[in-house]
């Protein structure tokens, strides 16, 4: 069944290859390690450190796995944007390896049936596989968390503590809640003694803390502990709320239902029918409850809880399927187990199609490269929206081109008139901010992005994903022969890292979904069309 996990992960990568601003630190760091190597002064993070610093150990691991393939692509003169696929595949492989090990451990504990259903449920859901190959700080910690689960279920406490210490001290300090709850359970049930815990924990903590301080002090060129600064920023200063807040129970009524789909209804069934999964589901639930006290909430912050909750749903499906021949009602319940997978797949397909329309920046730069000869010495200015929605250093293909992201330049200013091309945000070609270019620039292309959802029972399926123009590519008719670019800075419009992602509750690459009714008659709703005032945030 492992091939199914791999195949579905690749589908997510190839359908949505571009990344967003939340992922930019790790992605740019991977790029710089692969292409600039020891030339630290060329690294992106020295100019754009972001709100809080992040560790380089994750990007180093991904670069190590992908480096041979990237070198081969460079030798074959394959365009650099293809390396983005390699890097995301490498990260996906790093996460899939412990996930597959966890599946095998589930098979040992709960049987082949539960193991198979665990795979079916995981691939039917959108968010876990969508995140699996995205260079988010949470994804960098995910392999260690999955390994910790694997060793915990196998009662290999020394390795469990070592993986937990690495995940907490290097990547995500809040994992001390989740993995600490698991450790507390082992201590209370006396499967692990306090003395052994100290013997395992102290050396592990010292090794991992020393490693991150040593490596990251070199890359950041100052002595410090990255995750320590993040904890200070989020917990002590409580600054994460500056990037948006959500209600206390948001994870329970919004994030988890969207992440698990219809599988959520089977979690309590699995806890009741298979008592052995109860100790597996309590730690993630208490983790989510505890983490709810932080006001800033994003679905990716609790992605580690999904595999264990899926085990409970898989146990329920396995039991229902095994009993399918014991009566009509049990046959019907078995069909419900299969039907819930179909419902999940429909939702996942829908969200995946929405996500494809959510990276206009990456599409715009890719289109510009196709339109203009690589031999030309082109200068292009990239505005905020474009840089936030898919443009990265992997997409900057030509060394003789100048890619600039200087902010706060007024539309039509002398500085912007020096560029050969502008990638500018606008709602239409008649937008106010494009008027200053009406005589000096030609609009050569526009890129559409996700707008809203339209529903109508007159069509099948009764849902339409609507897009709208959001980025325009403008070509300068009269570029200066000797432009002065002394004003430019190599700057991202929004420096990422942790919580500097997006406005409140914009944690995933899918925007708020605005449902719009379709009516054949203006101003009237047909009898077979209903208004659906639904706001689907962070799908």
């Amino acid at each position: 069944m492992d091939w199914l996990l791999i195949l579905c992960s690749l589908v997510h990568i190839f359908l949505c290859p571009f990344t967003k601003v939340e992922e930019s630190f790790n992605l740019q760091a991977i790029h710089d390690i692969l292409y600039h190597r020891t030339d630290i002064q060329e690294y992106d993070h020295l100019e754009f450190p972001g709100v809080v610093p992040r560790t380089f150990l994750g990007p180093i691991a991904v670069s190590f796995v992908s480096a041979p393939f990237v070198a081969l692509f460079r030798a074959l003169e394959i365009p650099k944007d293809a390396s983005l696929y390699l890097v995301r595949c490498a990260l996906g492989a790093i996460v899939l390896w412990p996930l597959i090990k966890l599946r095998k451990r589930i098979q040992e504990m709960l049987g082949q049936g539960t193991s198979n259903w665990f795979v079916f449920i995981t691939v039917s859901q959108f968010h876990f596989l969508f995140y699996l190959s995205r260079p988010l700080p949470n994804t960098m910690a995910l392999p260690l968390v999955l390994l910790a689960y694997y060793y915990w279920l196998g009662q290999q406490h020394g390795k469990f503590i070592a993986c937990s210490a690495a995940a907490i001290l290097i990547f995500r300090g809040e994992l001390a809640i989740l993995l600490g709850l698991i450790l507390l359970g082992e201590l209370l049930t006396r499967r692990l003694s306090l003395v052994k815990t100290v013997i395992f924990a102290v050396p592990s903590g010292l090794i991992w803390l020393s490693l991150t301080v040593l490596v990251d002090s070199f890359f950041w060129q100052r002595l410090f502990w990255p995750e320590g600064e993040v904890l200070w920023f989020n917990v002590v200063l409580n600054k994460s709320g500056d990037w948006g807040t959500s209600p206390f129970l948001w994870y329970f009524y919004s994030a988890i239902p969207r992440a698990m789909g219809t599988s959520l209804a089977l979690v309590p069934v699995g806890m009741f029918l298979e008592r052995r999964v109860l100790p597996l589901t309590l730690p993630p639930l208490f983790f989510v409850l505890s983490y709810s006290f932080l006001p800033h909430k994003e679905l990716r912050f609790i992605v580690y809880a999904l595999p264990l909750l899926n085990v409970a749903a898989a146990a329920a499906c396995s039991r229902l399927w095994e009993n399918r021949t014991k009566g009509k009602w049990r046959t019907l319940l078995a069909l419900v187990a299969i039907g819930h997978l179909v419902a999940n797949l429909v939702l996942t397909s829908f969200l995946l199609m929405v996500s494809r329309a959510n990276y206009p920046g990456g599409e715009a730069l890719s289109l510009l490269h196709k339109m203009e000869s690589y031999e030309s010495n082109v200068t292009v200015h990239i505005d905020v929206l474009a840089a936030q929605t898919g443009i990265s250093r992997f997409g900057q293909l030509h060394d003789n081109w100048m890619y600039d992201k200087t902010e706060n330049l007024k539309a039509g200013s002398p500085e912007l008139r020096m560029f050969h091309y502008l990638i500018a945000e606008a709602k239409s070609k008649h937008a106010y901010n494009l008027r200053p270019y009406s005589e000096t620039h030609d609009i050569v292309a526009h890129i559409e992005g996700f707008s809203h959802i339209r529903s109508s029972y007159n069509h099948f399926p009764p849902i339409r994903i609507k897009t709208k123009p959001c980025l325009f590519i403008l070509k300068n008719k009269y570029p200066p022969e000797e432009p002065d670019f002394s004003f430019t800075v190599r700057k991202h419009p929004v420096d990422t890292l942790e919580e500097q992602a997006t406005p409140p509750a914009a944690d995933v690459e899918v925007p708020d979904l605005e449902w719009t009714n379709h009516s054949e008659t203006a101003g009237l709703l047909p009898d077979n069309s209903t208004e659906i005032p639904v706001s689907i945030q962070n799908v």
Side-chain angles (χ1 to χ4, degrees), residues 308-324:
L308 294 183
L309 296 178
N310 280 340
V311 173
C317 290
S318 179
R319 183 67 66 87
L320 295 177
W321 184 252
E322 289 174 357
N323 295 333
R324 66 188 182 279

Side-chain angles (χ1 to χ4, degrees), residues 337-529:
I338 296 177
H340 107 275
L341 294 179
V342 176
N344 282 354
L345 287 172
V346 170
L347 179 62
T348 294
S349 300
F350 167 70
L351 295 179
L352 199 53
M353 292 303 102
V354 172
S355 296
R356 278 181 57 82
N358 209 22
Y359 299 90
E363 298 289 350
L365 189 59
S366 177
L367 178 59
L368 180 57
H369 285 134
K370 295 175 182 177
M371 294 167 51
E372 185 66 52
S373 170
Y374 72 92
E375 297 177 351
S376 305
N377 293 321
V378 172
T379 58
V380 53
H381 181 267
I382 300 164
D383 81 348
V384 173
L385 178 66
Q388 287 181 334
T389 56
I391 292 180
S392 71
R393 286 190 168 188
F394 282 100
Q396 298 176 3
L397 303 184
H398 308 316
D399 293 335
N400 57 314
W401 283 31
M402 175 184 171
Y403 304 89
D404 182 74
K405 302 177 184 178
T406 303
E407 296 179 62
N408 302 321
L409 297 179
K410 186 178 180 180
S413 64
E415 292 86 356
L416 285 175
R417 293 179 188 273
M418 294 183 184
F419 293 93
H420 293 97
Y421 287 94
L422 304 177
I423 300 179
E425 176 184 3
K427 295 182 179 180
S428 75
K429 63 181 181 180
H430 304 295
Y432 178 79
N433 63 309
L434 298 187
R435 291 178 186 174
Y437 307 110
S438 59
E439 296 183 358
T440 59
H441 290 69
D442 290 325
I443 297 176
V444 294
H446 77 272
I447 295 84
E448 297 197 351
F450 173 80
S451 174
H452 61 273
I453 301 299
R454 174 170 293 180
S455 62
S456 172
Y457 296 130
N458 292 331
H459 301 90
F460 182 83
I463 293 176
R464 293 289 185 271
I465 298 172
K466 307 300 291 186
T467 59
K468 63 180 179 181
C470 58
L471 290 175
F472 286 78
I473 301 177
L474 282 68
K475 184 176 182 179
N476 197 337
K477 297 179 183 178
Y478 317 107
E481 295 182 0
E482 296 182 1
D484 178 14
F485 289 112
S486 59
F487 65 90
T488 62
V489 291
R490 217 167 38 98
K491 186 173 183 180
H492 293 293
V494 179
D495 296 324
T496 148
L497 295 182
E498 176 51 41
E499 277 61 57
Q500 189 170 353
T502 44
D507 52 72
V508 179
E509 326 311 331
V510 183
D512 296 349
L513 302 185
E514 174 191 346
W515 289 79
T516 303
N517 298 100
H518 174 71
S519 176
E520 299 298 335
T521 306
L524 297 176
L525 286 176
D527 294 338
N528 60 347
S529 180

